[in-house]
Amino acid sequence: MIRLHHCPQTRSMRSLWLLHELGVDFEVETYPFDKTLRQEPYRKLNPTGRVPTLEIGDVVLTESGAIAEYLCEQFPEAGLGRDPSHFERAAWLNWIHFAETISQHTAALTQQHVALYDDAMRSPIIMQLEAKRLAKTLATVDAALQGPSLLASFSAADIGVGQAVYMAQHFVELTPFPKLKTWFNGLSARDAFQKSLPGDTRLYARDFYAPWPVPE
């Protein structure tokens, strides 16, 4: 039994996308992005009240990078992982976890633009700084791309980083990063990516949130 606990337009989307790419049977429990995650029965699975959480047999995993590594090890025939003897193993691991480097800045911007309920709580300075830091992570991906995938062929690295870019584009325009934009357009056309997109329940009400200007 494989069950993913998921909130639309959050990090758990990368686990959902990966499961669709693997072509395995799984169930999805979808939650709103609210206090439900901090209540029972979900809190027993993940006391931090965050997503994703993956149940696979008797194993429970709560970190998207660990989920990607574990699933690729369990289903090596899909070719989305890189085993320890593979010449791309180190680069694959680095990209799997670089997705979180991107996402930490997106999370900070999501808090500023979406989660805070009072404009007085929002900081234009933080918005500006985090948008610049996020853009720097995207520039890193753009500089590394040499073709339609991060490595020699499509892998879970593309899924992790691609999902992080999907989230990041709500706060940073992709146009200044032409290689990244072409790569992401290719990823977003994949059937498994389309299946992982949100339905009516969305975290982001708008497609793009520009940083507020810093008062003079």
Side-chain angles (χ1 to χ4, degrees):
M1 183 275 294
I2 301 175
R3 180 182 293 119
L4 176 68
H5 299 264
H6 166 64
C7 285
Q9 293 188 310
T10 68
R11 291 172 176 88
S12 61
M13 179 185 168
R14 67 184 62 142
S15 302
L16 180 60
W17 180 5
L18 175 57
L19 285 165
H20 282 303
E21 292 282 1
L22 290 171
V24 297
D25 292 329
F26 65 95
E27 300 173 0
V28 180
E29 293 283 344
T30 302
Y31 301 81
F33 192 72
D34 61 16
K35 64 182 180 180
T36 305
L37 294 174
R38 300 189 296 275
Q39 297 173 342
E40 303 298 352
Y42 184 72
R43 190 168 63 176
K44 287 182 181 177
L45 280 174
N46 190 336
T48 62
R50 302 174 67 183
V51 287
T53 297
L54 183 78
E55 298 178 84
I56 177 166
D58 296 329
V59 174
V60 177
L61 297 167
T62 60
E63 293 294 325
S64 61
I67 289 170
E69 289 188 54
Y70 191 79
L71 285 175
C72 288
E73 290 170 359
Q74 295 299 304
F75 303 101
E77 64 279 1
L80 298 181
R82 298 293 186 268
D83 69 58
S85 65
H86 198 286
F87 76 98
E88 290 185 317
R89 172 70 172 185
W92 183 83
L93 284 172
N94 201 61
W95 285 121
I96 287 288
H97 295 284
F98 189 75
E100 192 57 30
T101 296
I102 300 171
S103 294
Q104 66 177 327
H105 301 300
T106 302
L109 287 161
T110 300
Q111 181 185 63
Q112 288 293 316
H113 287 277
V114 179
L116 297 177
Y117 55 85
D118 189 333
D119 282 353
M121 299 168 136
R122 308 181 205 276
S123 168
I125 293 175
I126 291 177
M127 291 179 184
Q128 295 272 2
L129 285 174
E130 289 297 329
K132 289 177 181 177
R133 289 166 177 162
L134 180 56
K136 192 172 292 186
T137 67
L138 301 186
T140 298
V141 181
D142 186 72
L145 282 164
Q146 301 298 321
S149 58
L150 287 167
L151 302 177
S153 61
F154 177 79
S155 74
D158 294 288
I159 295 170
V161 177
Q163 187 276 335
V165 171
Y166 165 77
M167 302 287 286
Q169 69 176 343
H170 289 89
F171 304 103
V172 174
E173 296 280 1
L174 301 188
T175 303
F177 313 106
K179 289 192 293 182
L180 179 143
K181 188 172 182 179
T182 299
W183 165 79
F184 179 73
N185 286 343
L187 293 181
S188 61
R190 296 180 70 88
D191 183 58
F193 175 90
Q194 293 294 319
K195 288 179 178 178
S196 70
L197 290 172
D200 295 334
T201 302
R202 292 174 177 265
L203 176 59
Y204 301 110
R206 303 202 301 265
D207 290 335
F208 188 75
Y209 298 81
W212 289 7
V214 177
E216 296 181 359

